[in-house]
Amino acid sequence: SADVQTAAMLNLPRPKLDGEKPTIRNAPATEELKAFVQELAKRAERLKTNRVDPSVDNMLKITGEGRKAALDLRLVRPRAVDHPDSKVNLALREILGIWQETRNQRLTQMVFCDLSTPKVEGRGFSAYQDLKAKLVSSGVPSNEVAFIQDHETDAAKASLFRDVRAGKVRILFGSTQKMGAGTNAQTLLVALHHLDAPWRPADIEQREGRILRQGNTNGVVKIFRYVTEGSFDAYMWQTLETKAKF
Protein backbone atom coordinates (compact mmCIF):
# COMPACT_ATOMS: atom_id res chain seq x y z
CA SER A 1 0.00 0.00 0.00
CA ALA A 2 2.98 2.30 0.54
CA ASP A 3 3.77 2.05 -3.19
CA VAL A 4 0.24 2.92 -4.22
CA GLN A 5 0.36 5.97 -2.00
CA THR A 6 3.59 7.27 -3.51
CA ALA A 7 2.26 6.82 -7.04
CA ALA A 8 -0.82 8.84 -6.12
CA MET A 9 1.30 11.48 -4.45
CA LEU A 10 3.50 11.92 -7.51
CA ASN A 11 0.50 13.08 -9.50
CA LEU A 12 -0.44 15.77 -7.04
CA PRO A 13 -0.17 19.24 -8.51
CA ARG A 14 1.64 22.06 -6.77
CA PRO A 15 -0.36 25.23 -6.17
CA LYS A 16 0.17 28.16 -8.52
CA LEU A 17 1.46 31.47 -7.27
CA ASP A 18 -1.04 34.30 -7.60
CA GLY A 19 0.22 36.73 -10.25
CA GLU A 20 3.10 34.28 -10.86
CA LYS A 21 5.36 36.24 -8.53
CA PRO A 22 5.45 37.45 -4.94
CA THR A 23 3.39 40.53 -4.09
CA ILE A 24 5.57 43.38 -2.85
CA ARG A 25 4.22 45.63 -0.12
CA ASN A 26 6.28 48.79 0.36
CA ALA A 27 6.40 50.59 3.68
CA PRO A 28 7.50 54.22 3.32
CA ALA A 29 10.69 55.33 5.07
CA THR A 30 9.93 57.68 7.95
CA GLU A 31 12.11 60.72 8.66
CA GLU A 32 13.29 58.93 11.78
CA LEU A 33 14.40 55.88 9.79
CA LYS A 34 16.17 58.03 7.17
CA ALA A 35 18.12 59.75 9.94
CA PHE A 36 19.04 56.39 11.46
CA VAL A 37 20.24 55.02 8.09
CA GLN A 38 22.37 58.16 7.63
CA GLU A 39 23.90 57.54 11.02
CA LEU A 40 24.71 53.94 10.01
CA ALA A 41 26.36 55.21 6.81
CA LYS A 42 28.53 57.58 8.86
CA ARG A 43 29.53 54.74 11.17
CA ALA A 44 30.48 52.57 8.18
CA GLU A 45 32.52 55.46 6.76
CA ARG A 46 34.31 55.85 10.10
CA LEU A 47 35.31 52.18 10.00
CA LYS A 48 37.05 52.84 6.67
CA THR A 49 38.84 56.04 7.64
CA ASN A 50 39.68 55.54 11.33
CA ARG A 51 40.94 52.60 13.27
CA VAL A 52 37.85 51.60 15.22
CA ASP A 53 38.15 48.86 17.82
CA PRO A 54 35.88 46.01 16.58
CA SER A 55 34.48 45.65 20.11
CA VAL A 56 33.24 49.25 19.86
CA ASP A 57 31.80 49.09 16.35
CA ASN A 58 32.05 46.80 13.33
CA MET A 59 30.33 46.10 10.02
CA LEU A 60 28.36 43.14 11.37
CA LYS A 61 26.94 45.32 14.15
CA ILE A 62 26.01 48.05 11.66
CA THR A 63 24.37 45.57 9.28
CA GLY A 64 22.51 43.94 12.15
CA GLU A 65 21.13 47.26 13.33
CA GLY A 66 20.27 48.21 9.76
CA ARG A 67 18.27 45.02 9.26
CA LYS A 68 16.49 45.47 12.58
CA ALA A 69 15.62 49.10 11.81
CA ALA A 70 14.19 47.97 8.46
CA LEU A 71 11.92 45.52 10.27
CA ASP A 72 10.82 47.98 12.95
CA LEU A 73 12.65 51.00 14.29
CA ARG A 74 11.48 50.08 17.82
CA LEU A 75 14.03 47.23 17.74
CA VAL A 76 16.88 49.75 17.82
CA ARG A 77 15.05 52.77 19.25
CA PRO A 78 12.65 51.58 21.97
CA ARG A 79 10.91 54.97 22.07
CA ALA A 80 10.23 55.08 18.34
CA VAL A 81 6.63 55.60 17.24
CA ASP A 82 4.47 52.76 15.94
CA HIS A 83 3.72 54.06 12.43
CA PRO A 84 0.40 53.00 10.85
CA ASP A 85 2.16 52.25 7.52
CA SER A 86 5.09 50.33 9.00
CA LYS A 87 5.92 46.91 7.65
CA VAL A 88 4.42 45.19 10.69
CA ASN A 89 1.16 47.11 10.23
CA LEU A 90 1.04 46.44 6.47
CA ALA A 91 1.47 42.74 7.23
CA LEU A 92 -1.19 42.96 9.93
CA ARG A 93 -3.75 44.26 7.41
CA GLU A 94 -2.94 41.56 4.83
CA ILE A 95 -2.96 38.71 7.37
CA LEU A 96 -6.18 39.91 8.94
CA GLY A 97 -7.94 40.33 5.60
CA ILE A 98 -7.01 36.81 4.47
CA TRP A 99 -7.90 35.38 7.88
CA GLN A 100 -11.39 36.91 7.59
CA GLU A 101 -11.96 36.02 3.92
CA THR A 102 -11.01 32.36 4.40
CA ARG A 103 -12.82 31.86 7.72
CA ASN A 104 -15.31 29.31 6.39
CA GLN A 105 -12.64 27.06 4.87
CA ARG A 106 -10.34 27.74 7.87
CA LEU A 107 -7.39 28.35 5.53
CA THR A 108 -3.98 29.01 7.06
CA GLN A 109 -1.05 31.40 6.74
CA MET A 110 2.67 31.41 7.55
CA VAL A 111 4.71 34.40 8.61
CA PHE A 112 8.51 34.25 8.30
CA CYS A 113 10.72 36.50 10.37
CA ASP A 114 14.34 35.70 11.29
CA LEU A 115 14.93 38.83 13.34
CA SER A 116 13.22 39.70 16.59
CA THR A 117 12.02 36.20 17.39
CA PRO A 118 10.08 35.81 20.64
CA LYS A 119 12.57 33.66 22.59
CA VAL A 120 15.82 35.50 21.99
CA GLU A 121 14.40 38.95 22.47
CA GLY A 122 11.88 38.38 25.21
CA ARG A 123 13.12 41.66 26.63
CA GLY A 124 11.98 44.78 24.88
CA PHE A 125 10.21 44.91 21.55
CA SER A 126 9.44 41.80 19.49
CA ALA A 127 7.83 41.93 16.04
CA TYR A 128 6.26 38.51 16.74
CA GLN A 129 4.60 39.62 19.96
CA ASP A 130 3.57 42.96 18.50
CA LEU A 131 1.83 41.33 15.52
CA LYS A 132 0.17 38.66 17.62
CA ALA A 133 -1.18 41.23 20.11
CA LYS A 134 -2.59 43.30 17.23
CA LEU A 135 -4.17 40.25 15.57
CA VAL A 136 -5.79 39.20 18.84
CA SER A 137 -7.10 42.70 19.57
CA SER A 138 -8.54 42.71 16.02
CA GLY A 139 -10.59 39.59 16.78
CA VAL A 140 -8.33 36.63 15.99
CA PRO A 141 -8.65 34.02 18.78
CA SER A 142 -5.33 33.74 20.57
CA ASN A 143 -5.23 29.92 20.11
CA GLU A 144 -5.33 30.36 16.30
CA VAL A 145 -1.93 32.13 16.34
CA ALA A 146 1.22 30.15 17.13
CA PHE A 147 4.98 30.75 17.28
CA ILE A 148 7.08 27.76 16.20
CA GLN A 149 9.64 28.80 18.85
CA ASP A 150 7.16 27.69 21.55
CA HIS A 151 7.29 24.12 20.22
CA GLU A 152 10.76 22.80 20.94
CA THR A 153 10.50 19.01 20.71
CA ASP A 154 9.80 16.98 17.57
CA ALA A 155 6.58 15.73 19.16
CA ALA A 156 5.45 19.28 19.95
CA LYS A 157 6.23 20.35 16.38
CA ALA A 158 4.42 17.36 14.87
CA SER A 159 1.35 18.19 16.95
CA LEU A 160 1.55 21.87 15.94
CA PHE A 161 1.78 20.97 12.23
CA ARG A 162 -1.23 18.67 12.66
CA ASP A 163 -3.19 21.60 14.07
CA VAL A 164 -2.14 23.81 11.15
CA ARG A 165 -3.09 21.10 8.63
CA ALA A 166 -6.49 20.84 10.34
CA GLY A 167 -6.98 24.63 10.33
CA LYS A 168 -7.07 24.80 14.13
CA VAL A 169 -4.00 27.03 14.17
CA ARG A 170 -4.50 29.43 11.30
CA ILE A 171 -1.50 31.78 11.57
CA LEU A 172 1.94 30.28 12.20
CA PHE A 173 5.02 32.43 12.81
CA GLY A 174 8.58 31.16 12.55
CA SER A 175 12.12 31.61 11.28
CA THR A 176 13.78 30.07 8.22
CA GLN A 177 15.83 27.82 10.47
CA LYS A 178 12.98 26.51 12.64
CA MET A 179 10.33 26.31 9.95
CA GLY A 180 12.44 24.81 7.17
CA ALA A 181 12.51 21.32 5.68
CA GLY A 182 10.34 18.88 7.58
CA THR A 183 7.61 21.47 8.08
CA ASN A 184 4.70 19.62 6.51
CA ALA A 185 1.84 21.95 7.25
CA GLN A 186 0.84 22.87 3.71
CA THR A 187 -2.64 21.29 3.42
CA LEU A 188 -4.62 24.53 3.91
CA LEU A 189 -1.83 27.12 3.45
CA VAL A 190 -3.12 29.96 1.30
CA ALA A 191 -0.62 32.75 2.05
CA LEU A 192 3.00 33.14 3.12
CA HIS A 193 4.48 36.42 4.39
CA HIS A 194 8.18 37.41 4.38
CA LEU A 195 8.43 40.00 7.14
CA ASP A 196 12.18 40.27 6.62
CA ALA A 197 14.70 39.36 3.95
CA PRO A 198 16.73 36.23 4.72
CA TRP A 199 20.48 36.05 4.06
CA ARG A 200 20.68 33.64 1.10
CA PRO A 201 18.59 32.89 -2.01
CA ALA A 202 18.40 29.28 -0.75
CA ASP A 203 16.61 30.63 2.34
CA ILE A 204 13.86 32.10 0.15
CA GLU A 205 13.38 28.74 -1.58
CA GLN A 206 13.41 27.06 1.80
CA ARG A 207 10.67 29.40 3.09
CA GLU A 208 8.51 29.36 -0.05
CA GLY A 209 8.85 25.60 -0.32
CA ARG A 210 6.53 25.38 2.71
CA ILE A 211 3.57 26.59 0.64
CA LEU A 212 4.48 25.79 -2.98
CA ARG A 213 4.35 22.06 -2.50
CA GLN A 214 2.32 18.97 -3.22
CA GLY A 215 -0.45 18.21 -0.78
CA ASN A 216 -1.59 21.83 -0.63
CA THR A 217 -5.32 21.74 -1.38
CA ASN A 218 -5.37 25.35 -2.62
CA GLY A 219 -5.00 25.79 -6.38
CA VAL A 220 -3.67 29.33 -6.04
CA VAL A 221 -1.66 30.81 -3.17
CA LYS A 222 -0.16 34.19 -2.34
CA ILE A 223 3.33 35.16 -1.21
CA PHE A 224 3.99 38.62 0.22
CA ARG A 225 7.30 40.41 0.69
CA TYR A 226 7.31 43.46 2.92
CA VAL A 227 9.98 46.01 2.10
CA THR A 228 10.79 49.20 4.00
CA GLU A 229 11.86 51.79 1.44
CA GLY A 230 15.24 53.47 1.83
CA SER A 231 16.43 50.80 4.26
CA PHE A 232 18.68 47.74 4.37
CA ASP A 233 15.61 45.79 3.31
CA ALA A 234 15.50 47.09 -0.22
CA TYR A 235 19.24 46.42 -0.47
CA MET A 236 18.89 42.86 0.89
CA TRP A 237 16.09 41.90 -1.51
CA GLN A 238 17.98 43.36 -4.49
CA THR A 239 21.13 41.48 -3.52
CA LEU A 240 19.11 38.26 -3.14
CA GLU A 241 17.54 38.74 -6.60
CA THR A 242 20.97 39.32 -8.15
CA LYS A 243 22.49 36.30 -6.40
CA ALA A 244 19.54 34.12 -7.43
CA LYS A 245 20.10 35.06 -11.09
CA PHE A 246 23.66 33.74 -10.91
Side-chain angles (χ1 to χ4, degrees), residues 11-53:
N11 297 326
L12 286 176
R14 274 174 44 161
K16 289 191 171 40
L17 184 53
D18 187 37
E20 293 183 14
K21 59 180 194 292
T23 304
I24 311 291
R25 287 280 177 268
N26 289 308
T30 61
E31 289 311 313
E32 228 181 333
L33 178 71
K34 286 179 194 163
F36 186 76
V37 171
Q38 288 280 279
E39 216 173 281
L40 292 181
K42 279 184 197 143
R43 278 166 57 188
E45 204 45 50
R46 229 172 281 145
L47 293 185
K48 275 189 222 157
T49 52
N50 311 344
R51 283 220 176 111
V52 179
D53 186 324

Side-chain angles (χ1 to χ4, degrees), residues 5-150:
Q5 205 183 348
T6 17
M9 277 165 72
L10 292 176
N11 297 326
L12 286 176
R14 274 174 44 161
K16 289 191 171 40
L17 184 53
D18 187 37
E20 293 183 14
K21 59 180 194 292
T23 304
I24 311 291
R25 287 280 177 268
N26 289 308
T30 61
E31 289 311 313
E32 228 181 333
L33 178 71
K34 286 179 194 163
F36 186 76
V37 171
Q38 288 280 279
E39 216 173 281
L40 292 181
K42 279 184 197 143
R43 278 166 57 188
E45 204 45 50
R46 229 172 281 145
L47 293 185
K48 275 189 222 157
T49 52
N50 311 344
R51 283 220 176 111
V52 179
D53 186 324
S55 68
V56 176
D57 206 4
N58 56 67
M59 210 50 218
L60 199 64
K61 202 172 163 187
I62 294 171
T63 311
E65 285 178 37
R67 289 180 77 211
K68 279 182 184 170
L71 173 59
D72 198 297
L73 202 53
R74 288 172 293 172
L75 284 166
V76 288
R77 291 269 167 87
R79 286 194 200 82
V81 182
D82 181 11
H83 283 280
D85 289 326
S86 74
K87 224 158 66 151
V88 168
N89 290 321
L90 291 183
L92 172 71
R93 293 198 278 277
E94 291 292 353
I95 296 165
L96 205 52
I98 294 167
W99 175 83
Q100 278 162 338
E101 276 160 39
T102 62
R103 227 172 186 165
N104 296 341
Q105 310 101 295
R106 297 199 68 78
L107 299 186
T108 62
Q109 304 180 65
M110 256 184 200
V111 184
F112 274 97
C113 185
D114 291 352
L115 294 162
S116 184
T117 56
K119 279 281 159 72
V120 187
E121 291 164 41
R123 309 171 298 288
F125 178 80
S126 151
Y128 278 66
Q129 264 117 359
D130 188 63
L131 248 175
K132 180 173 181 173
K134 285 171 177 168
L135 285 165
V136 172
S137 71
S138 306
V140 178
S142 168
N143 61 340
E144 289 189 15
V145 184
F147 299 158
I148 197 153
Q149 289 83 355
D150 295 336

Side-chain angles (χ1 to χ4, degrees), residues 109-118 128 146-150 160-161 171-180 183 192-196 207 210:
Q109 304 180 65
M110 256 184 200
V111 184
F112 274 97
C113 185
D114 291 352
L115 294 162
S116 184
T117 56
Y128 278 66
F147 299 158
I148 197 153
Q149 289 83 355
D150 295 336
L160 170 66
F161 298 152
I171 302 164
L172 177 59
F173 285 78
S175 60
T176 313
Q177 194 192 354
K178 301 237 185 224
M179 214 151 59
T183 303
L192 183 142
H193 307 264
H194 294 283
L195 257 193
D196 58 8
R207 287 177 176 195
R210 299 313 103 223

